[in-house]
Amino acid sequence: MENKEKVKKLIDLRVEAKLGGGEKRIASQHAKGKYTARERIDMLLDEGSFEELDMFVTHRCHNFGMEKDKFLGDGVVTGHGTIDGRTVFVYAQDFTVFGGSLSETMALKICKVMDMAMKMGAPIIGINDSGGARIQEGVNALAGFAEIFERNILASGVVPQISAIYGPCAGGAVYSPALTDFILMTENTSYMFVTGPKVVKSVTGEDISTEDLGGASMHTKKSGVAQFKVETEEEGMMLIRKLLSYLPQNNLEEAPLFNTNDPIDRMEDSLNEIIPDNPNKPYDVKDVIHAIVDNEEFLEVHRFFAKNVVVGFARFNGQSTGIIANQPNFMGGVLDCDASRKAARFVRFCDAFNIPILTLVDVPGFLPGSSQEYQGIITHGAKLMFAYGEATVPKVTVTLRKSYGGAHCVMSSKQLRGDFNYAWPTAEIAVMGASGAIEVLEGRTIVKMENAEEKAQFIADKTAEYNTAFANPYNAASYAYIDDVIEPRNTRFRVIRAFQALQTKKLANPLKKHSNIPL
């Protein structure tokens, strides 16, 4: 064969590989409102940056006549490219080839780019669109899954891992995304579950749709399995690019620093009036966040799940920062099981990747009741306490209003190694609110009082006495648990100054194999 013919063969094979399962299956993929694996990668990466690996890999299965049916690439496109000029490794399952089902060789391709990502210290992005394990390959397919899972585990906290679910993801396949840092799902075209609707019905008798069992809305609102929900794949790719802009390449790097035209000393007068006079009246803590961050830009994570706590990324003077804030606008900002684990996981992610943490506190306590106790509120609350106490990144805390009881301790208090703990003049730091405290302290006296007017006056006097003593930040400040009481409109400046002072912070936890976080 002459050189010219060899080159032509190479070109022809590349064309064949890029067609995946063929024109007909590509048309079917498009008819479902879905893109092909290569189209998705081109959408995600900087133009012209993708370098594909293992284009000519084929499966090795000889069962059920599979040896007669082979496709170049074997159902997954793998390689590396750049996002905003920074290297990332990526794999995208190709639903046009055997429904994107995972084979031994597909797993080998995925594992190869994951190993490279670890070696090079670069993020790994997986685009999932698969019917699950390739049944014809039996235990080899299962072994392939387990090889991927092990790499997800070892990469955790070393390089950022992002999963985009752009189609089916069922059975054992769900555990790779579950082991990654962030999961993104598309509305109406993606789903995740361990067992599908048919199996559920045959085993339990429950009749449920695919969407209700494992759709994007369910996983972003109820289960909390997925952090992001998008309407289109294009929107999803833009979101991944934006998310990565806040993250370092790996755990040994600092998060990227951006230039900003937002002045450090910008005053926000509205903050002086944002806390209602009535301590039981809600306000939106996101208004506080948008007012103090660079250019009002805030990328919220887990927006639809456990809305009583808000978490996400922003920048202060160009520096990436993770924000955790109680949300008085939802359930009064109380901490429950879901809010505790949502916040805990986010704190641990930030700590793993050297992202400073700002905590905005307005928490009346943990949610009481048998339902929460049965669900293990003690353990879930302990997760959040553990996450904050273990974190060694710079931690700045601002108490806006209520900070009561155990919830005060949990929310990045000074005793959990908060570096700078500030409070607004509206802050109330105490074991509990005035009404509950008076009931405990003066309950017997109140019960004995028969005159209604005297009783009301006594309660009012004792409440005023309690509020004077505790419903303010100055008692805590007198013990140096609060470093300073700051004017609300000056919060941005004080937070930035605090993080600037913490840039050279050095803190290490005791040497150990690993901690045993309450799970």
Side-chain angles (χ1 to χ4, degrees):
M1 188 184 290
E2 294 183 7
N3 287 347
K4 191 181 288 186
E5 289 176 340
K6 290 178 179 178
V7 171
K8 183 181 182 303
K9 182 181 179 184
L10 168 63
I11 293 169
D12 290 344
L13 284 173
R14 285 193 181 279
V15 170
E16 180 187 337
K18 288 179 179 179
L19 281 175
E23 298 281 8
K24 199 171 180 182
R25 288 175 182 166
I26 290 173
S28 173
Q29 182 84 342
H30 288 162
K32 296 172 188 171
K34 295 160 64 178
Y35 288 94
T36 65
R38 284 186 175 81
E39 288 169 341
R40 287 164 172 165
I41 289 174
D42 288 343
M43 224 186 292
L44 173 66
L45 302 180
D46 295 339
E47 188 175 351
S49 71
F50 182 54
E51 291 291 327
E52 186 170 348
L53 303 173
D54 294 331
M55 180 184 278
F56 305 117
V57 165
T58 56
H59 71 73
R60 304 164 185 172
C61 181
H62 292 272
N63 298 325
F64 302 97
M66 285 290 288
E67 70 277 3
K68 301 170 190 172
D69 203 8
K70 292 190 175 184
F71 296 89
L72 295 178
D74 199 32
V76 67
V77 180
T78 61
H80 63 90
T82 62
I83 290 178
D84 293 330
R86 299 195 297 161
T87 298
V88 298
F89 286 82
V90 61
Y91 67 87
Q93 293 172 328
D94 186 352
F95 197 77
T96 70
V97 176
F98 302 121
S101 58
L102 188 121
S103 65
E104 176 191 11
T105 46
M106 183 200 279
L108 288 172
K109 286 182 64 173
I110 293 171
C111 289
K112 181 191 277 191
V113 290
M114 294 181 80
D115 289 341
M116 286 183 170
M118 287 285 279
K119 199 183 299 181
M120 262 59 87
I124 179 79
I125 303 163
I127 303 171
N128 295 260
D129 188 3
S130 168
R134 198 171 297 174
I135 297 170
Q136 297 93 327
E137 296 206 13
V139 73
N140 286 335
L142 297 180
F145 270 134
E147 291 283 359
I148 295 169
F149 302 158
E150 178 64 14
R151 282 162 177 80
N152 287 134
I153 293 163
L154 295 178
S156 181
V158 179
V159 295
Q161 300 181 79
I162 300 173
S163 300
I165 314 299
Y166 281 173
C169 184
V174 299
Y175 288 108
S176 177
L179 292 166
T180 61
D181 299 306
F182 299 101
I183 299 175
L184 177 150
M185 297 182 72
T186 50
E187 288 191 273
N188 303 318
T189 55
S190 70
Y191 57 81
M192 296 176 73
F193 39 61
V194 175
T195 49
K198 290 179 181 176
V199 176
V200 168
K201 187 170 185 180
S202 67
V203 174
T204 70
E206 182 183 7
D207 198 355
I208 189 168
S209 69
T210 299
E211 188 65 27
D212 289 341
L213 183 64
S217 291
M218 192 286 286
H219 279 309
T220 51
K221 290 179 184 178
K222 294 182 180 179
S223 71
V225 166
Q227 284 78 20
F228 300 104
K229 175 179 69 171
V230 293
E231 291 184 9
T232 65
E233 294 184 17
E234 293 96 332
E235 183 190 347
M237 295 312 188
M238 293 304 295
L239 181 57
I240 292 172
R241 291 177 65 94
K242 186 174 183 181
L243 174 60
L244 283 171
S245 75
Y246 290 97
L247 312 182
Q249 289 289 88
N250 54 64
N251 64 334
L252 299 179
E253 290 188 7
E254 300 299 319
L257 189 66
F258 281 68
N259 290 323
T260 179
N261 57 4
D262 197 348
I264 296 174
D265 56 355
R266 170 172 57 79
M267 295 283 188
E268 196 66 44
D269 291 337
S270 63
L271 295 182
N272 279 11
E273 307 294 330
I274 199 167
I275 302 295
D277 291 334
N278 181 346
N280 297 318
K281 190 175 179 182
Y283 62 93
D284 192 342
V285 79
K286 292 183 197 177
D287 292 338
V288 177
I289 294 171
H290 288 297
I292 63 176
V293 301
D294 289 356
N295 305 117
E296 300 185 2
E297 291 181 7
F298 176 58
L299 177 59
E300 188 172 356
V301 176
H302 257 147
R303 180 189 301 175
F304 307 106
F305 177 68
K307 293 192 285 187
N308 35 329
V309 70
V310 174
V311 304
F313 297 104
R315 294 186 179 91
F316 285 95
N317 198 30
Q319 172 67 60
S320 289
T321 306
I323 298 178
I324 298 94
N326 306 114
Q327 175 57 292
N329 225 11
F330 190 84
M331 295 171 61
V334 71
L335 283 173
D336 62 358
C337 294
D338 287 343
S340 297
R341 63 188 180 93
K342 166 183 168 178
R345 192 169 191 272
F346 187 74
V347 168
R348 283 170 70 82
F349 175 84
C350 291
D351 188 50
F353 289 102
N354 311 313
I355 300 171
I357 295 169
L358 171 66
T359 305
L360 301 177
V361 183
D362 188 349
V363 61
F366 285 97
L367 184 62
S370 59
S371 173
Q372 287 294 302
E373 297 294 351
Y374 295 165
Q375 290 177 55
I377 184 70
I378 296 170
T379 298
H380 293 299
K383 288 177 188 175
L384 183 52
M385 185 176 301
F386 199 109
Y388 269 123
E390 186 182 46
T392 60
V393 292
K395 293 182 288 190
V396 176
T397 306
V398 182
T399 301
L400 311 181
R401 186 166 64 174
K402 298 174 183 175
S403 186
Y404 291 163
H408 161 74
C409 300
V410 165
M411 293 299 295
S412 197
S413 62
K414 181 63 74 177
Q415 292 70 33
L416 294 184
R417 302 191 299 188
D419 294 301
F420 288 102
N421 292 65
Y422 297 134
W424 284 4
T426 46
E428 304 172 13
I429 303 168
V431 174
M432 61 178 67
S435 60
I438 299 308
E439 192 174 317
V440 172
L441 296 173
E442 305 290 350
R444 290 183 180 179
T445 304
I446 292 169
V447 168
K448 291 175 183 177
M449 297 178 75
E450 295 180 359
N451 186 295
E453 287 185 11
E454 286 183 11
K455 183 184 292 188
Q457 186 61 50
F458 179 80
I459 292 173
D461 291 344
K462 288 297 179 181
T463 300
E465 182 184 338
Y466 184 88
N467 284 334
T468 300
F470 298 113
N472 62 70
Y474 303 108
N475 183 51
S478 72
Y479 293 100
Y481 301 148
I482 294 295
D483 295 303
D484 197 8
V485 181
I486 64 175
E487 190 176 353
R489 69 176 187 150
N490 205 25
T491 302
R492 170 177 167 80
F493 179 71
R494 298 301 298 272
V495 166
I496 289 174
R497 274 293 191 76
F499 281 131
Q500 286 176 337
L502 292 166
Q503 284 179 347
T504 53
K505 177 184 177 182
K506 294 286 185 290
L507 178 65
N509 289 324
L511 184 65
K512 55 183 128 175
K513 185 175 181 182
H514 59 73
S515 56
N516 186 20
I517 185 169
L519 296 172

